[in-house]
Amino acid sequence: MLHPEIEGFSITAGNSSGVNDAASAMMVTTDAVAAAQGLGVMAKIRAWTSVGVDPAKTGLGVLDVIPKLLSRAGVDQSDVALWEINEAFASVPLAASRMLGIDDETINISGSGCSIGHPVAASGGRMLITLIHDLKRRGGGLGVAAMCAGGGQAGAVLIEV
């Protein structure tokens, strides 16, 4: 199947995520609740947003949601240390890198959907936990997790470690 967003690129079993099974859980709370419960804070959510695009261009949703997220947070793209851009198809982070000018060396540094897996309802948690730990290993900073979804949806979150 030819990929409508990137000329000359086609989607195959070799550049798509496989069928996977997994579970994911996270706790999102306020500073006050974490302190009252004696919980350590792994990361802070600085902003989040979502967009809708033409369903025929679902893979390009991250190209709209990332700038919207950064604008909402008042953060420049160059301030982001690491990116988790879900790889349901290899073309999605590739398009983000090329079209938004994101350095390849900062995207999915521990793998993503094609290499780790893209299990429905677990990918978002997996992406955030991977991003948190990768940022911790590098001394902290800002990270963005972004994902396109079927039907033209896309969502993104900006975290700080």
Side-chain angles (χ1 to χ4, degrees), residues 135-159:
L135 284 165
K136 281 186 183 234
R137 279 191 286 278
R138 292 177 171 225
L142 297 176
V144 169
M147 179 186 301
C148 62
Q153 304 169 74
V157 62
L158 173 70
I159 64 166

Side-chain angles (χ1 to χ4, degrees), residues 32-87:
V33 170
Q37 298 296 318
L39 302 171
V41 175
M42 295 179 70
K44 291 191 178 202
I45 297 173
R46 297 266 307 263
W48 68 90
T49 195
S50 60
V51 300
V53 298
D54 180 337
K57 297 187 178 228
T58 293
L60 290 181
V62 296
L63 302 179
D64 290 344
V65 79
I66 288 172
K68 181 179 176 184
L69 173 72
L70 297 177
S71 175
R72 174 177 271 187
V75 170
D76 190 71
Q77 184 172 303
S78 64
D79 295 327
V80 177
L82 293 176
W83 304 82
E84 276 290 318
I85 301 174
N86 192 47
E87 195 178 56

